[in-house]
Amino acid sequence: MRLIAPLAIALCLVAALHEAGDTPELDLVIRNGRVVDGAGNPAAYQDVGIQDGRIAAVGRVTERGRREIDARGRIVAPGFIDVHTHAENVTSRPAAENFVRMGVTSIVLGNCGSSELDVAAFFRKVEETKVALNVATLFGHNTARRAAMGGSFNRAPTEEELDRMRQHVDQAMRDGAVGLSTGLIYLPGTFARTEEIVELAKAAAAHDGIYASHMRNEGAGIDAALNELFRVAREARIRAHVSHIKLGGKPAWGRAPAVLAALEAARAEGLDVTQDQYVYTASSTGLGNLVPASAREGGAARFRERLENPDEKARIIAQMKETLRRGGRESYDYAVIASYRADRSLNGKTIPEAAKAKRGADTLDDQIELILEIEQSGGGSGIYHGMDETDLQTFLRHPNTMIASDSGVRARDEGVPHPRGYGNNARVLGRYVRELKVLRLEDAVRRMTSLPAGVFGLRDRGLLRPGAWADVAVFDPEKVEDAATFSDPHHYARGVTHVLVNGVPVVDGGEQTAARPGMALRRR
Ligand SMILES: [Zn+2]
């Protein structure tokens, strides 16, 4: 009797709880929002139920959530996937706030030919660190070339070196990289012939990887660069992707329709070719790229030797002037110093302004001397105002253009970096969807979610549907906007109220939480 009574009481209690419907049945329910599912379907009023990190239900959700978010007046979308980042520093800045505050829940690193050499170790480090968002990576051709050839050299690899590069690519793919990236304007990849890239792309294709390329030319010479990309896709039988599609320099402006026609022709031929874009008319990369690669080949000591030789230095300067002329320019006034560690007072200044400040004069020769001095003093990064808004919008309208930032994880108030790292996705939703109506909202979201997930092979991401991982962005379509500008970039995007990564809020009520639920996304 003594034993039976407590048991009976307990059973009665369980029954009573069931009848009252008090038991929370899902971890989280987002109610009353307009769901944009990521596939491009029209927005619809639906609830989203989440359980164990995944989407449990989309539609009229009758179960109660242990936590409920009222998304009235807001859009509920899959978390954004940024396939073009340089966020290798995510393990030292694991909150990745500039990304998550604009709704980004997954990033792909290792772009433009540069990645970690040991992908397995990198993924372990991501998991040990615990980061706020999901991390996938490409494997960099420049990384492989440097490791296999012992530096930056202007020559073809030996058979043995090529084989070693192939093995690096194979190992990286086995360790979960999503593909191979090239940066064909950078050291040492710029010295590679197409045959070398084809061989390495074959190693990535064997594991169903993608080939993503910062092409050899993004200006007046883009046709040959596109043809090289198509050749890699054709000969290595690999999906190919144009990174940060653009046309830089006035002589190239207006050619966006021709570039898209070439991409369409390649697709008609049977090649799987896609592209990504950031929505700013300025680019950003190392200031060293203003100096010819042949002058920087072989390391810092060789560079100094060349500058000490008057004949060689004259050749370098002549080459720089010729490159400027071919870009339709007479000055480096389009280039702004974003970050220069050796002299932070130059951050935010154009090259002529910086030359004036450091050398007392801003002639072209003074500008070039300053650029060479910066490169000798450890280098820096720059912002280059060189694109046309009409081209930008033409590229943006193409259905296969993904939205990607080309950014690393930002540290508040460090340098004057390109605003894209803080604002890219929000700028698409605010400026190009709401204000200029270049894109439908549903299509813009598709280019940030299911399109990149599908092409880069991120499984169960990029769609709000039962079974998918619960990566979610909730934002106000009337208020979402970028707040970062070129002169004052360190501002988070506005209007994104909730961001979930694997079902866990990393942005809640517009503020970042301490949660770090991100996963290492290994290709499977
Ligand atoms: Zn790049």
Side-chain angles (χ1 to χ4, degrees):
M1 191 63 193
R2 261 205 224 140
L3 279 171
I4 290 166
L7 184 64
I9 291 165
L11 283 172
C12 285
L13 267 174
V14 168
L17 278 170
H18 255 281
E19 271 159 38
D22 280 346
T23 318
E25 286 169 275
L26 290 171
D27 290 339
L28 201 155
V29 179
I30 305 170
R31 294 196 193 279
N32 307 319
R34 264 173 99 64
V35 167
V36 171
D37 67 359
N41 293 315
Y45 287 104
Q46 288 177 320
D47 307 324
V48 177
I50 292 162
Q51 180 69 30
D52 299 327
R54 294 198 184 239
I55 309 276
V58 179
R60 189 52 59 212
V61 175
T62 52
E63 294 95 328
R64 282 166 38 90
R66 255 182 288 278
R67 160 100 199 264
E68 302 227 344
I69 293 171
D70 183 3
R72 201 173 304 263
R74 277 168 285 155
I75 299 295
V76 182
F80 305 146
I81 297 169
D82 187 336
V83 295
H84 194 95
T85 79
H86 293 282
E88 281 70 27
N89 60 350
V90 70
T91 50
S92 53
R93 295 170 188 168
E97 199 160 5
N98 56 301
F99 285 105
V100 298
R101 292 278 298 257
M102 60 179 171
V104 173
T105 54
S106 297
I107 52 177
V108 179
L109 324 181
N111 278 283
C112 303
S114 177
S115 72
E116 299 290 332
L117 184 63
D118 187 339
V119 168
F122 180 68
F123 275 143
R124 277 198 301 276
K125 196 167 157 200
V126 166
E127 287 169 334
E128 282 160 16
T129 307
K130 297 195 185 341
V131 301
L133 36 56
N134 304 310
V135 175
T137 190
L138 292 154
F139 182 64
H141 165 232
N142 293 349
T143 302
R145 200 176 206 266
R146 200 172 278 122
M149 294 172 66
S152 288
F153 302 114
N154 190 357
R155 62 173 174 81
T158 64
E159 264 312 311
E160 197 193 340
E161 286 167 339
L162 182 62
D163 210 50
R164 232 173 309 171
M165 272 192 257
R166 217 182 264 125
Q167 284 166 23
H168 282 306
V169 175
D170 181 67
Q171 188 61 51
M173 294 302 298
R174 286 176 198 281
D175 291 340
V178 291
L180 173 73
S181 77
T182 53
L184 299 176
I185 67 161
Y186 299 118
L187 295 177
T190 192
F191 302 130
R193 287 204 298 255
T194 311
E195 292 76 11
E196 173 183 329
I197 301 163
V198 168
E199 285 310 305
L200 301 180
K202 283 178 184 168
H207 300 276
D208 195 30
I210 190 170
Y211 171 64
S213 182
H214 177 152
M215 300 189 299
R216 241 177 251 276
N217 193 296
E218 299 177 303
I222 196 168
D223 292 341
L226 282 166
N227 285 334
E228 181 175 40
L229 180 106
F230 300 153
R231 188 181 156 198
V232 173
R234 192 180 297 124
E235 294 184 10
R237 297 174 184 274
I238 192 167
R239 296 194 302 285
H241 182 82
V242 178
S243 297
H244 43 56
I245 195 163
K246 66 169 77 70
L247 284 161
K250 259 197 190 126
W253 289 4
R255 300 211 53 240
V259 169
L260 291 175
L263 288 164
E264 284 299 330
R267 292 195 64 84
E269 178 199 327
L271 306 178
D272 288 344
V273 185
T274 50
Q275 62 274 350
D276 67 65
Q277 182 189 26
Y278 50 82
V279 289
Y280 297 81
T281 53
S283 60
S284 178
T285 192
L287 288 163
N289 294 291
L290 297 173
V291 181
S294 56
R296 292 178 289 120
E297 180 228 18
R302 282 288 294 125
F303 180 52
R304 196 163 306 117
E305 267 172 48
R306 289 183 182 114
L307 291 181
E308 279 162 8
N309 177 329
D311 289 344
E312 287 211 51
K313 184 171 176 183
R315 252 197 307 276
I316 291 167
I317 291 172
Q319 247 180 300
M320 289 174 73
K321 287 181 176 172
E322 172 59 17
T323 303
L324 205 56
R325 196 193 56 76
R326 263 189 279 121
R329 301 182 175 107
E330 290 166 356
S331 153
Y332 289 96
D333 56 1
Y334 72 104
V336 181
I337 297 169
S339 171
Y340 177 40
R341 292 238 165 110
D343 185 351
R344 288 168 210 265
S345 75
L346 299 186
N347 293 346
K349 286 186 164 56
T350 64
I351 294 291
E353 286 167 357
K356 186 105 190 160
K358 296 306 286 182
R359 305 176 54 82
D362 59 2
T363 68
L364 183 54
D365 285 305
D366 284 293
Q367 295 176 36
I368 289 175
E369 287 293 343
L370 178 82
I371 291 165
L372 296 173
E373 186 192 313
I374 288 174
E375 185 58 14
Q376 279 185 286
S377 311
S381 64
I383 291 170
Y384 312 92
H385 294 269
M387 289 172 250
D388 179 51
E389 177 72 21
T390 306
D391 285 330
L392 183 158
Q393 293 188 21
T394 304
F395 286 136
L396 186 58
R397 280 193 189 90
H398 193 273
N400 296 342
T401 301
M402 304 169 198
I403 310 304
S405 69
D406 201 3
S407 174
V409 180
R410 298 290 193 232
R412 288 303 288 277
D413 304 321
E414 194 178 287
V416 190
H418 197 299
R420 62 196 182 190
Y422 284 100
N424 194 48
N425 295 83
R427 186 170 171 81
V428 169
L429 297 170
R431 177 174 162 83
Y432 293 100
V433 172
R434 184 179 62 239
E435 290 170 21
L436 301 177
K437 300 185 169 49
V438 173
L439 294 180
R440 286 164 68 231
L441 173 62
E442 291 89 339
D443 197 36
V445 169
R446 183 183 66 81
R447 321 288 201 80
M448 301 177 185
T449 56
S450 69
L451 178 65
V455 171
F456 280 73
L458 308 183
R459 279 176 39 164
D460 297 337
R461 312 241 172 220
L463 284 170
L464 291 184
R465 68 170 180 208
W469 285 103
D471 295 340
V472 183
V474 181
F475 60 90
D476 185 332
E478 298 304 320
K479 291 185 181 151
V480 64
E481 64 179 359
D482 56 311
T485 63
F486 283 102
S487 58
D488 188 14
H490 294 287
H491 296 282
Y492 297 124
R494 300 190 188 109
V496 179
T497 59
H498 296 82
V499 180
L500 311 183
V501 173
N502 302 313
V504 178
V506 293
V507 172
D508 199 344
E511 294 297 327
Q512 183 146 9
T513 70
R516 291 184 189 165
M519 293 180 185
L521 302 184
R522 295 178 180 86
R523 183 197 53 80
R524 282 189 291 166

